[in-house]
């Protein structure tokens, strides 16, 4: 199980997020105000999840995600209301949907590695499944990815296995 590091400049907000995550059954190992602090902490750990705002005082969540060691994921909370998946970073809209947030933390915490550890073949299956969902069901790429993620969590399967199941069903 991965530890969670929270980066938030407002202590009350950080403590509220911590309480929510811990109520969900996950361990928060550190709370800090700056991305640089989280980056330093990540260098001492083998894997983890960082929950932070989309833009921090000293860097963006994308800069943080790009600087982290392998096996670290970032959940960035964004005021612009969009949900995005890129590399080892997931952007979730504010206000937080508690169930979606805890499911996302759960999937990331239970996985042995971050998103960056997928093989090219795995990424190909996921991409093909998203394309199929987009063309057959009229979904956007983000909707298709979220659908895959939700089905994966619902069935207790890895994302790539869910993608393969969908491709088999649609074939």
């Amino acid at each position: 199980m991965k530890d969670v590091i929270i980066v938030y400049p407002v202590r009350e907000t950080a403590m509220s997020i911590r309480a929510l995550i811990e109520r969900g059954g996950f361990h928060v190992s550190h709370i800090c105000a700056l991305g640089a602090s989280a980056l330093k902490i990540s260098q001492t750990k083998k894997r983890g999840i960082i929950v932070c705002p989309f833009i921090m005082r000293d860097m963006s969540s994308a800069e943080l995600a790009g600087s982290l060691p392998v096996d670290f994921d970032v959940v960035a909370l964004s005021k612009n209301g969009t949900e995005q998946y890129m590399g080892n970073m997931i952007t979730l809209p504010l206000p937080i949907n508690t169930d979606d947030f805890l499911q996302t933390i759960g999937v990331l915490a239970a996985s042995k590695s971050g998103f960056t550890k997928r093989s090219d073949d795995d990424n190909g299956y996921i991409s093909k499944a998203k394309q199929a969902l987009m063309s057959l069901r009229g979904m956007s790429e983000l909707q298709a990815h979220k659908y895959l993620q939700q089905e994966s969590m619902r069935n207790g399967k890895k994302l790539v296995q869910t993608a393969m199941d969908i491709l088999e069903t649609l074939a």
Side-chain angles (χ1 to χ4, degrees):
M1 197 71 116
K2 295 179 181 178
D3 284 341
V4 179
I5 300 167
I6 298 172
V7 180
Y8 253 87
V10 179
R11 183 158 178 79
E12 294 79 24
T13 303
M15 297 307 284
S16 295
I17 293 170
R18 177 185 192 163
L20 174 62
I21 291 170
E22 289 182 342
R23 272 196 316 267
F26 308 105
H27 176 68
V28 175
S29 64
H30 295 83
I31 295 176
C32 47
L34 299 173
S37 299
L39 190 55
K40 186 175 180 181
I41 293 165
S42 73
Q43 304 300 319
T44 67
K45 297 191 166 285
K46 292 186 179 191
R47 59 184 187 253
I49 302 164
I50 297 177
V51 177
C52 63
F54 191 73
I55 301 292
M56 294 165 276
R57 289 181 181 165
D58 59 342
M59 66 179 69
S60 71
S61 54
E63 290 172 313
L64 175 62
S67 302
L68 289 169
V70 175
D71 294 337
F72 270 83
D73 295 301
V74 173
V75 177
L77 305 177
S78 173
K79 292 180 183 176
N80 73 6
T82 61
E83 187 170 319
Q84 299 176 346
Y85 304 87
M86 52 193 131
N88 63 333
M89 184 172 88
I90 297 173
T91 303
L92 297 176
L94 290 171
I96 294 173
N97 176 310
T98 303
D99 292 335
D100 286 349
F101 177 70
L102 289 176
Q103 282 183 341
T104 300
I105 297 293
V107 167
L108 295 175
S111 68
K112 296 217 186 283
S113 62
F115 286 127
T116 56
K117 291 293 255 183
R118 282 195 196 118
S119 72
D120 288 341
D121 288 343
D122 289 352
N123 283 331
Y125 287 122
I126 293 166
S127 181
K128 286 177 186 174
K130 287 194 295 189
Q131 288 297 322
L133 290 168
M134 290 164 59
S135 65
L136 295 173
R137 296 196 180 164
M139 295 179 174
S140 70
E141 185 175 3
L142 290 176
Q143 289 169 326
H145 191 89
K146 184 172 183 177
Y147 177 82
L148 285 172
Q149 185 182 36
Q150 288 174 335
E151 286 299 299
S152 173
M153 288 185 282
R154 189 174 64 77
N155 294 316
K157 293 182 178 181
K158 290 185 175 188
L159 194 65
V160 69
Q161 184 59 53
T162 300
M164 293 167 79
D165 291 348
I166 287 172
L167 288 170
E168 186 177 307
T169 302
L170 295 175

